[in-house]
Amino acid sequence: MQPTLFPMEPQSKPQPARSASQISRKALNEAQYEAVTTVSGPVLVIAGAGSGKTRTLVYRLAHLVEQGVPPEQILLLTFTRKAAQEMLHRASLLLDDSCRRVMGGTFHATANLLLRRYCRHLGYAANFTIIDQSDAEGIVNLLKSSLNLGGENKRFPSKRVVISILSKSVNKGLGIEELVEAEYGHFHDFADDLQTIALHYKRFKLEHSLMDYDDLLVNWRRILEEFPEVHTELANRFSHIMVDEYQDTNPIQAAIVRLMAAKHNNVMVVGDDSQSIYSFRGADFRNIMEFPSLFPDTRLIRLEENYRSTQKILDLTNAIIEKAQEKYTKTLFTNITGGEKPVVYGARDEATQARYVAEKIVALHKAGEPLDEMAVLFRSGFHSYKLELELTHRQIEFDKRGGLKLNELAHNKDVISYLRVVANPHDHLSWNRLLLQLDKVGPKTAQNILSRVKSAEDPLAALREYPAGKTWKEGLADLLEMLEALRQSGMSMGQMFERIMDYYEPIFERLYHDDYPRRRRDLDEFGRVMGGYVELQSFLDDASLDPPQAGALEPDGGKRLVLSTIHSAKGLEWDTVFIINLAEGRFPSAQAVLPAHREEERRLLYVAATRARKQLYLVYPQEVMSYDSSAAAGGPSPFLQELPHALTQSPSPAAWQSQSSAYGGGQEERPDYSIPPLKSASSASPSGSSSAPSIKLGNRVRHPFFGEGVVEKVVSPKSLEVLFARHGKKTLHLDYAKLELVQ
């Protein structure tokens, strides 16, 4: 619910039905009560995970109204409409319906209401239209055509990616060229064209009285910065400002808060620096850290009592964040008694990791734990692939949140289609997909081809005789040559994947030219999963991820296990949480090469661990598949290695019994549960401090993700600037980037 902004004069306030202050004394702890009753001046509330920040905001709303602040003069800014509605509803139940007259909503919704009154200052009509992403992409497509950009150049970014670049540029406060260099290196050659599109896009929107979602924030800030009379009117209109999840604000939102509160400084922001994990959306960790400097005399209040987790879990989460380079120091504690220490399990490999987690889930469920009170969390969507197959094999249904399932990724589906026509040459659905990948072959041509060969005993042989058009004859021949190679006996699954990629790579880069570097990581992971199988049909059966309904594990009305990326799990909680793939190079991600990136990865682990109420399992493979599909040492994440051993426990050898699975079955050797000590910088290789002097200007180096590149600049003794052929220029920190010299 969003109250109307106008008329500007506050309405009369009905007499409260009961006293919020009397209730708050009983319902709030000391820190919460201090936050609720501090109504003047700037307040920064650092609310640890599970510490009751929503309750604090609700009671403060009611307290402000009870103290005589007209509800129309209170502004509550949130990140979801649902959060604002819930807070206003709960405050009205606590006090009376006058709380519903508080201006509460998201930054974008509030901007829309304000701009309807003030946008004339910017040259917009009050009836401007808000366009969504689809509308924005249509405008970009029109501009590309009118400006004669792209044309036959298949490498030019699509309209979707162009809009993504323009939006990130706004939300991160970066120029187009700077953003392209940092995140879209493969579009380096189009930076000037993208800048041209950005200028024309802005002009087009103004001429047609259109605003996109980013414009709502940009223009709100503009009317505050460029028009003093508007700034004064709005500052007087809202005497008290409250902001939820302040750690997730971007630079524009932080500037808006500062400007709106500049006349009175009655602003309270609530957030947790340790849960700032959305930099990829433009959120800036610096906002919450610099709040006290922007608002002198800020009162800092820490909410440290946790109402969610056991103390043993909190001891571990405190230890995770204790190593953060920059933070607001806080120590979470709870009155919840009992509980077990978090378990650390070092699996032999990724298949063993999947079996361990699946069997623990089965055991917990048989002991009475509901499936929907258990969750498996991971750094990236593809980290759960092997587990998805293992769960499917055991007929355990799950919901995956964040990232797509194994067979839902378009590029993985392409590879599966090659394998399916090898296993079943009469699979015309897969044939159609493969034929449409050929340049100059459209749906009509593909159907004509299939109609001629569908009754053939051997479609591959029939296709060899097909009178192909001269523009796609060579492409069809290459496809058939690759498929014939896959049919040869003696080829392992890993070799089949490599042969497919030899053929598919140029098609892949053409079809997904916008973001093929990111998609390539999915394919590499797919290849590692595929390489763990011996039989093609067994892999295809598991990859279908369509568990049978009969005999499914859960008898409780469809409640399912949750698999989720950590980003998608923020704000949620479960009794039992497994965090998987806590391995070197996986968590933190191999792409987290700068100190700031590593710190966000640490906060990501903190968020994951604080989702658990009663039981927490930290699992990693001691051996992972490298990018060339060979076995490589994995080992625990550096974040795990930092944890004091006294805070964790190893699972009992009898805690799980290995059973047959999709990966071979048989009895496993007893795994090594120990965590090796953290390597010192002097022993790190090849990019630790001892080896840093051996990497010099002009050297060719190899990075596990970016590939081969040339050292163009030595920024500092531990920092290099490297130009990579496909990813452009990157600044790498030698303590984190795993660089190898290419001889």
Side-chain angles (χ1 to χ4, degrees):
M1 176 181 298
Q2 265 185 349
T4 180
L5 178 62
F6 305 103
M8 296 295 286
E9 292 304 318
Q11 303 173 29
S12 60
K13 179 176 70 67
Q15 186 66 28
R18 49 181 170 160
S19 171
S21 61
Q22 292 176 358
I23 300 172
S24 63
R25 265 302 187 188
K26 299 177 181 178
L28 303 174
N29 62 40
E30 287 301 317
Q32 291 172 335
Y33 185 77
E34 181 184 1
V36 165
T37 55
T38 303
V39 297
S40 299
V43 182
L44 171 60
V45 178
I46 300 299
S51 62
K53 72 175 181 62
T54 300
R55 171 182 287 266
T56 302
L57 285 166
V58 167
Y59 272 89
R60 191 172 195 268
L61 274 175
H63 182 76
L64 285 171
V65 174
E66 184 190 32
Q67 293 301 306
V69 177
E72 297 85 3
Q73 291 186 9
I74 301 172
L75 177 61
L76 170 66
L77 296 172
T78 64
F79 276 83
T80 66
R81 180 183 179 186
K82 181 179 178 181
Q85 289 177 330
E86 179 187 355
M87 289 181 199
L88 296 182
H89 173 69
R90 287 173 57 179
S92 66
L93 293 177
L94 187 65
L95 192 61
D96 59 33
D97 281 346
S98 64
C99 292
R100 293 184 180 274
R101 302 203 307 273
V102 168
M103 171 60 72
T106 65
F107 276 88
H108 291 86
T110 305
N112 175 47
L113 289 173
L114 293 173
L115 288 171
R116 295 294 174 186
R117 182 180 178 97
Y118 298 108
C119 64
R120 68 183 187 279
H121 295 280
L122 303 175
Y124 278 88
N127 64 342
F128 65 84
T129 299
I130 300 174
I131 59 175
D132 61 18
Q133 179 156 327
S134 178
D135 298 323
E137 290 175 359
I139 296 171
V140 164
N141 226 24
L142 179 66
L143 293 174
K144 284 171 61 178
S145 177
S146 64
L147 295 170
N148 197 27
L149 298 175
E152 295 299 319
N153 192 327
K154 301 293 185 181
R155 297 290 182 179
F156 196 87
S158 70
K159 58 187 179 182
R160 177 180 60 83
V161 172
V162 170
I163 285 298
S164 178
I165 291 172
L166 299 186
S167 180
K168 282 188 176 182
S169 173
V170 170
N171 286 293
K172 293 192 172 187
L174 298 175
I176 296 291
E177 185 174 356
E178 187 179 0
L179 178 70
V180 169
E181 289 294 332
E183 299 188 26
Y184 297 87
H186 52 303
F187 290 141
H188 170 79
D189 293 342
F190 301 114
D192 290 341
D193 291 337
L194 290 168
Q195 182 65 52
T196 299
I197 289 178
L199 293 173
H200 283 265
Y201 178 61
K202 181 178 180 180
R203 185 182 306 162
F204 184 96
K205 289 183 293 182
L206 181 59
E207 290 174 352
H208 295 83
S209 200
L210 308 173
M211 290 192 201
D212 61 25
Y213 295 130
D214 296 327
D215 291 327
L216 293 173
L217 298 183
V218 169
N219 289 332
W220 184 3
R221 180 181 62 182
R222 283 187 61 197
I223 62 171
L224 294 172
E225 289 180 333
E226 299 175 16
F227 304 97
E229 67 278 16
V230 176
H231 186 195
T232 299
E233 186 174 338
L234 286 177
N236 292 334
R237 168 74 176 81
F238 297 108
S239 64
H240 289 78
I241 299 171
M242 300 165 64
V243 186
D244 189 22
E245 302 285 10
Y246 190 73
Q247 80 280 348
D248 294 335
T249 54
N250 64 28
I252 300 175
Q253 291 163 327
I256 288 170
V257 172
R258 176 176 53 81
L259 290 163
M260 290 290 289
K263 301 296 183 180
H264 50 70
N265 283 349
N266 293 330
V267 55
M268 183 178 88
V269 301
V270 180
D272 185 1
D273 55 299
S274 300
Q275 297 188 66
S276 178
I277 59 173
Y278 293 114
S279 64
F280 65 94
R281 296 181 186 170
D284 193 342
F285 174 76
R286 303 304 317 161
N287 288 345
I288 196 166
M289 301 307 298
E290 295 174 355
F291 184 86
S293 62
L294 290 176
F295 291 91
D297 302 319
T298 290
R299 188 165 182 174
L300 176 61
I301 301 172
R302 294 176 172 85
L303 303 186
E304 298 175 294
E305 183 172 357
N306 178 282
Y307 296 92
R308 174 188 302 159
S309 308
T310 66
Q311 189 61 53
K312 291 183 175 65
I313 291 175
L314 295 181
D315 289 341
L316 182 119
T317 61
N318 288 334
I320 291 172
I321 209 64
E322 182 183 5
K323 299 289 185 179
Q325 293 182 2
E326 188 174 7
K327 63 184 181 298
Y328 288 105
T329 301
K330 60 182 175 298
T331 303
L332 296 181
F333 67 93
T334 185
N335 289 319
I336 299 173
T337 58
E340 298 290 330
K341 290 181 180 179
V343 172
V344 174
Y345 174 69
R348 186 175 66 192
D349 53 27
E350 293 171 87
T352 312
Q353 172 181 252
R355 287 200 293 278
Y356 170 73
V357 172
E359 292 180 9
K360 285 299 298 181
I361 288 167
V362 169
L364 288 167
H365 186 61
K366 286 181 177 178
E369 182 88 350
L371 280 179
D372 62 336
E373 281 297 347
M374 291 184 275
V376 183
L377 308 183
F378 31 85
R379 170 64 183 83
S380 300
F382 63 81
H383 285 177
S384 67
Y385 287 171
K386 266 192 167 25
L387 178 61
E388 291 175 40
L389 298 177
E390 180 69 22
L391 293 171
T392 300
H393 175 75
R394 295 171 182 272
Q395 301 182 31
I396 303 173
E397 291 200 3
F398 60 87
D399 285 326
K400 184 172 182 181
R401 304 171 185 176
L404 295 174
K405 293 183 180 180
L406 182 63
N407 68 338
E408 292 175 340
L409 297 163
H411 39 297
N412 285 356
K413 290 169 73 174
D414 291 342
V415 175
I416 289 175
S417 293
Y418 296 123
L419 297 170
R420 283 179 172 162
V421 297
V422 170
N424 176 15
H426 296 281
D427 183 346
H428 285 197
L429 187 64
S430 293
W431 270 117
N432 187 63
R433 186 182 187 93
L434 303 186
L435 292 172
L436 288 175
Q437 292 175 357
L438 302 179
D439 203 16
K440 308 302 182 184
V441 172
K444 186 175 180 179
T445 301
Q447 288 304 310
N448 288 337
I449 296 171
L450 290 174
S451 66
R452 291 278 296 271
V453 302
K454 65 181 180 181
S455 58
E457 183 177 347
D458 185 355
L460 263 72
L463 281 172
R464 282 196 298 271
E465 304 301 322
Y466 188 87
K470 63 179 181 180
T471 58
W472 49 274
K473 182 177 183 179
E474 184 179 350
L476 179 62
D478 290 342
L479 171 62
L480 296 177
E481 179 183 351
M482 183 270 293
L483 294 174
E484 286 287 1
L486 295 183
R487 294 208 299 188
Q488 296 175 7
S489 61
M491 186 177 285
S492 70
M493 294 291 289
Q495 290 170 331
M496 291 177 74
F497 177 78
E498 291 174 3
R499 181 63 183 88
I500 288 172
M501 290 308 300
D502 287 341
Y503 165 80
Y504 180 56
E505 186 83 41
I507 295 174
F508 166 68
E509 293 189 6
R510 170 169 56 84
L511 294 177
Y512 308 104
H513 65 278
D514 297 329
D515 57 354
Y516 69 84
R518 177 184 62 80
R519 290 176 181 261
R520 181 60 207 238
R521 297 200 297 273
D522 294 324
L523 282 173
D524 289 335
E525 185 66 17
F526 183 86
R528 286 192 283 270
V529 172
M530 183 175 159
Y533 281 79
V534 176
E535 183 189 5
L536 172 59
Q537 193 60 55
S538 176
F539 171 74
L540 291 175
D541 290 343
D542 283 343
S544 67
L545 291 176
D546 187 17
Q549 295 301 310
L553 180 62
E554 86 286 11
D556 49 3
K559 294 184 177 180
R560 298 181 178 185
L561 172 74
V562 173
L563 307 188
S564 177
T565 61
I566 300 169
H567 287 100
S568 297
K570 187 174 180 292
L572 304 176
E573 57 189 71
W574 296 269
D575 282 347
T576 301
V577 170
F578 297 84
I579 308 174
I580 62 172
N581 264 307
L582 276 166
E584 179 77 40
R586 297 288 184 89
F587 202 146
S589 166
Q591 285 76 59
V593 295
L594 297 177
H597 298 158
R598 299 274 291 199
E599 287 300 291
E600 180 155 333
E601 295 281 301
R602 182 190 303 281
R603 297 193 294 270
L604 198 61
L605 177 57
Y606 174 83
V607 168
T610 54
R611 300 309 94 198
R613 298 190 195 105
K614 299 177 181 178
Q615 299 180 84
L616 177 62
Y617 294 84
L618 310 172
V619 190
Y620 68 93
Q622 298 186 27
E623 182 181 276
V624 297
M625 297 296 288
S626 65
Y627 285 90
D628 61 0
S629 296
S630 61
S637 161
F639 299 147
L640 273 184
Q641 296 179 50
E642 293 173 350
L643 297 176
H645 285 261
L647 299 181
T648 63
Q649 63 174 323
S650 299
S652 165
W656 69 292
Q657 298 295 325
S658 181
Q659 303 170 9
S660 60
S661 73
Y663 306 102
Q667 292 297 314
E668 295 287 345
E669 297 175 6
R670 178 176 175 177
D672 176 10
Y673 302 108
S674 62
I675 302 177
L678 185 65
K679 297 176 183 177
S680 66
S682 61
S683 64
S685 178
S687 58
S689 59
S690 64
S691 60
S694 65
I695 301 179
K696 302 176 182 177
L697 191 67
N699 282 165
R700 291 196 65 78
V701 294
R702 182 182 294 108
H703 185 273
F705 170 68
F706 299 125
E708 290 193 10
V710 178
V711 178
E712 288 202 334
K713 182 179 180 181
V714 178
V715 180
S716 72
K718 289 190 176 184
S719 184
L720 302 174
E721 204 170 79
V722 182
L723 179 63
F724 296 97
R726 289 189 175 181
H727 299 276
K729 194 176 295 184
K730 303 291 179 184
T731 301
L732 305 177
H733 195 285
L734 291 174
D735 281 347
Y736 305 127
K738 296 182 177 179
L739 292 180
E740 297 177 0
L741 278 170
V742 178
Q743 302 298 331

